Amino acid sequence: MSTATVGRLSSRERFDEASVAEDVAIFSAFTISATLWLLITTAIGLLLSFKFTYPDLATNPFLSFGRLRAIHTNGTFYGWASLALTGLAFYIAARSSGIHLRQKRLAWAALWSYNIAAVLGGITLDLGISNGSQEYREWVWWVAAFFLLAVVLSGVVVVATVMARREREIYIANWYTIGGFIFTTILGVTAAIPIYQYGLGQVAVQGFYMHNAVGMWFTFLALGVTYYSLPKLLNRPIYSYALGVLGFWTNLVFYPVIGAHHYEFSPLPWWFQTLAIVFSVGMLVPVWAGTGNFWLTMRGRWATVRRSYALPFFFVGVLYYFVGSTQGTVEAFRSLQAIWHLTNFTVGHSHLTMYGFITFIAWGGIYGLLPMATGKRPPLLLVGLHFWLAFLGVTIYVLVLSVAGTVQGITWANGDPFIASVEAAAPYWSGRAVSGTMMLLAHVIFAYNVWRMTLAPTPTATSSSPMSLAAESAHE
């Protein structure tokens, strides 16, 4: 081999090493930013839970329930979950395509845009500047524009990376993540159309936005993470590629319409409400297809699941995807909406899906993939402590609020005075605060584990480093 050839190879190796190192830096930066927002917004959520039991706690206007609640929900949605899942989507797009991440500058710009949106959103909401009482859409338009820009930039990065893939086929995980970026762009633009900002059009679009922010953004990204991570960590193929495709297209067909089931018995056309109920039943197809596919992939590997850092998080995430989504279908029926809607039950349901499903999948992806990227692993004991505090915390939280909401709804159906529903639900609010404390403690442990996986000094003799990943990538 000539000296010139050796020089070219070493130059390429240096390029591969630098490129993979930047991929790892991007993945790490998204995870660290997401973790900071998780700590901030869930600490706010814990304060809110104590306000139920102690109404005179923190009465300053900047700490009022109405302002902090919007900061909590928007921050967890667009700060924690969006950043965590986008970072995972970048890593998965590159690794499943057998190449380095494309358009890295846009990835960094997306990181800044997400964080600018979350910071400005928190400040404006705490100053009382908002888009009105529109759940998950409280940010004013110019703040939401930063978030939409981040989604578009992130989508460009993922699409550009997948377009440069080595294999002809697009892996199913990238179907879901790309679908999430495309549909959320459509969602954000539609929600900003001026004609839909008042009257019944505003009501319909609010239902469209609030439900699809969960179902076509977080659900698509979380399912994409699962379709890549589960086979990778189990070292076996996904049980059925066809079930993954079925879940993708049926989710795309049924989900966009069902937001109207949040406005049953409203002035929206009765046929539209009924259509939302029918499509909510139709959602059992993608939910059961997806969960069945994941469980059949795990079948026979339970010993591996128990010994893994990440797989228990995926197991709980898949379980609560099944339970929470099936519960959403049942909850859509008018007879049960009459009892549960606008009660504590819906708060429990939202945490069952956004926390039990989305957040657990994000944690599983981070614990499973980030150590592969950085070569640094968290302490197994602390990962286990994080898992049990979070799992028991969210389970208790959902159970106590489900009971509280049912009791509330029954008192309303009986025609009792409103204060009777408050007195009936009050005993369960202490359980809400206790379980919320357990979850926040889990998040503090997770933050330490993220530090161990990213910024902590590298142990002298451990597993993969970015350099070894560069060599792996060059030979895929």
Side-chain angles (χ1 to χ4, degrees), residues 41-42 45-46 48-49 69 72-73 76-77 135-136 320 324 327 344-360 390 393-395 397-399 401 432 435-436 439 443:
T41 56
T42 53
L46 182 60
L48 293 173
S49 69
R69 198 264 178 181
H72 168 66
T73 55
T76 50
F77 269 47
E135 194 168 28
Y136 313 145
Y320 279 169
Q327 182 193 71
N344 282 203
F345 188 95
T346 57
V347 180
H349 171 71
S350 65
H351 282 76
L352 180 61
T353 52
M354 271 304 297
Y355 195 100
F357 166 39
I358 301 298
T359 294
F360 267 80
V394 71
T395 302
Y397 188 98
V398 171
L399 288 175
L401 288 189
R432 175 181 187 162
S435 57
M439 290 187 277
H443 304 164

Side-chain angles (χ1 to χ4, degrees), residues 257-311:
V257 177
I258 65 177
H261 72 211
H262 286 269
Y263 294 99
E264 293 176 16
F265 309 108
S266 75
L268 285 178
W270 195 259
W271 65 265
F272 189 40
Q273 299 175 37
T274 303
L275 184 67
I277 297 170
V278 172
F279 275 42
S280 297
V281 176
M283 274 302 299
L284 294 176
V285 176
V287 170
W288 290 5
T291 52
N293 208 7
F294 298 141
W295 280 332
L296 288 169
T297 303
M298 288 186 274
R299 183 180 58 178
R301 298 292 179 93
W302 302 115
T304 304
V305 173
R306 288 195 301 271
R307 292 193 301 267
S308 170
Y309 286 91
L311 287 171

Side-chain angles (χ1 to χ4, degrees), residues 226-251:
T226 308
Y227 270 108
Y228 176 83
S229 303
L230 207 56
K232 180 77 173 178
L233 297 173
L234 288 170
N235 195 29
R236 72 190 307 184
I238 198 72
Y239 175 78
S240 171
Y241 200 90
L243 282 176
V245 174
L246 173 67
F248 177 86
W249 287 112
T250 51
N251 201 99

Side-chain angles (χ1 to χ4, degrees), residues 131 134 137 186-194 196-197 205 208-209:
N131 193 36
Q134 301 183 76
R137 200 157 67 106
I186 298 171
L187 180 67
V189 171
T190 304
I193 295 175
Y196 293 145
Q197 305 309 311
V205 166
F208 172 75
Y209 183 91

Side-chain angles (χ1 to χ4, degrees), residues 46-62:
L46 182 60
L47 173 60
L48 293 173
S49 69
F50 276 100
K51 279 178 171 286
F52 281 89
T53 307
Y54 305 102
D56 294 329
L57 177 66
T59 56
N60 186 286
F62 295 108

